Amino acid sequence: DAGVIQSPRHEVTEMGQEVTLRCKPISGHNSLFWYRQTMMRGLELLIYFNNNVPIDDSGMPEDRFSAKMPNASFSTLKIQPSEPRDSAVYFCASSRTDSGANVLTFGAGSRLTVL
Amino acid sequence: QQPVQSPQAVILREGEDAVINCSSSKALYSVHWYRQKHGEAPVFLMILLKGGEQKGHEKISASFNEKKQQSSLYLTASQLSYSGTYFCGTGNSGSARQLTFGSGTQLTVLP
C-alpha cells in the first residue's frame, strides 16, 4: 500500500496566485480530511469528506479556500488568491469509517510558502 | 475546544521514563495519540475508548480516565527513536471525524 499521496511536497508562490494541493487517499478508505498545521495554531481540521461528499467545512478559513473530491481516489484543496498568512503545512489524511474506532493515516504533507 | 497537553516540551536521557498528559473541558468518548517526527507526517500510535482502559505499543502505553476527561501517555525506558512531537486528539465518538488535536508535546531523547 502506497499510503496517502500528496503533491506537491513543497510550493513557493507569490501573494495573489492560485494554489492547488492534491491528495490520493488509501484505496478502500471512505473518509478524507484536510488539515493545516502551523506553529501558532497546531493541527486544524479544514474539511472532511465521507464517501466523496463534504460533511463539515466549518474549519475552512474563508471563501478563498475550496476543496473538492470528484471521486474516491482524488481530492484537491485550492486557495485563490493566496496570502502570506496561508503559509503552512497542509496534510491530507484518510480513514475507514466502517471499521469501528477508525484512525487517520496522514500523507507526507504539502509545505506552502506564500511570499 | 482544543485539549490541553502538558508538558509542552520534555528532554530526557535514553532509558528514562516520561509522561505526557492530555485533558479536555468536554466529555470524551475517545482519545487518539499520534507521534510526528520532524518534517514528517503524524503517525498513529493508539486509540483509547471510554472505559478507563489502558493500551500498549512497544514500551509506550496510555490510560484514559473518562470521568476526569484526561488521558496520559507513558513512555518507558525511552529510546532515541521516541523523539518527536506527540499529539493527543480527543473526540466525542470513536470516529476520527470529530477529532480535535492538542498543541503537542515535543519530546527529545538524548543519548
Side-chain angles (χ1 to χ4, degrees):
Chain A
D1 190 344
V4 177
I5 300 173
Q6 290 186 245
S7 65
R9 291 294 311 276
H10 301 275
E11 175 92 10
V12 180
T13 191
E14 293 188 344
M15 184 173 63
Q17 296 297 306
E18 177 179 294
V19 174
T20 299
L21 308 178
R22 299 172 177 80
C23 175
K24 178 179 167 57
I26 291 175
S27 177
H29 282 193
N30 61 344
S31 284
L32 182 139
F33 306 78
W34 282 100
Y35 281 88
R36 178 171 67 176
Q37 186 176 40
T38 61
M39 288 294 294
M40 291 297 295
R41 302 173 69 91
L43 268 169
E44 300 174 278
L45 177 64
L46 299 177
I47 185 171
Y48 80 84
F49 296 83
N50 185 246
N51 294 323
N52 311 338
V53 176
I55 302 300
D56 183 357
D57 65 354
S58 60
M60 295 285 262
E62 48 198 272
D63 292 343
R64 298 184 297 107
F65 286 69
S66 62
K68 293 182 179 180
M69 192 165 186
N71 56 62
S73 59
F74 184 65
S75 177
T76 59
L77 177 68
K78 186 177 292 186
I79 308 172
Q80 166 64 19
S82 58
E83 297 182 3
R85 59 188 167 133
D86 302 330
S87 296
V89 180
Y90 291 82
F91 287 103
C92 174
S94 68
S95 72
R96 275 187 63 178
T97 55
D98 58 351
S99 59
N102 61 90
V103 300
L104 296 170
T105 301
F106 285 84
S110 294
R111 181 176 294 275
L112 174 65
T113 303
V114 183
L115 303 174
Chain B
Q1 192 156 357
Q2 193 177 39
V4 176
Q5 287 187 235
S6 63
Q8 288 187 322
V10 58
I11 300 174
L12 57 158
R13 295 280 181 188
E14 204 173 3
E16 293 180 338
D17 301 339
V19 180
I20 299 172
N21 300 303
C22 174
S23 63
S24 174
S25 59
K26 300 170 86 171
L28 299 177
Y29 180 88
S30 66
V31 179
H32 299 222
W33 285 97
Y34 289 78
R35 178 173 62 204
Q36 183 179 28
K37 293 185 179 287
H38 183 69
E40 298 181 9
V43 174
F44 172 74
L45 290 177
M46 64 188 78
I47 180 174
L48 301 102
L49 303 178
K50 68 176 183 177
E53 66 177 294
Q54 284 196 267
K55 278 199 171 180
H57 172 77
E58 299 175 341
K59 291 184 179 178
I60 300 173
S61 62
S63 62
F64 177 27
N65 187 322
E66 64 186 271
K67 287 184 179 179
K68 292 186 176 180
Q69 296 162 196
Q70 293 176 347
S71 177
S72 294
L73 189 70
Y74 307 93
L75 298 99
T76 306
S78 298
Q79 306 170 14
L80 296 176
S81 61
Y82 288 0
S83 292
T85 301
Y86 290 77
F87 293 95
C88 68
T90 56
N92 54 15
S93 77
S95 168
R97 286 177 280 183
Q98 294 160 314
L99 283 182
T100 302
F101 284 96
S103 57
T105 295
Q106 188 172 349
L107 181 81
T108 303
V109 182
L110 301 175

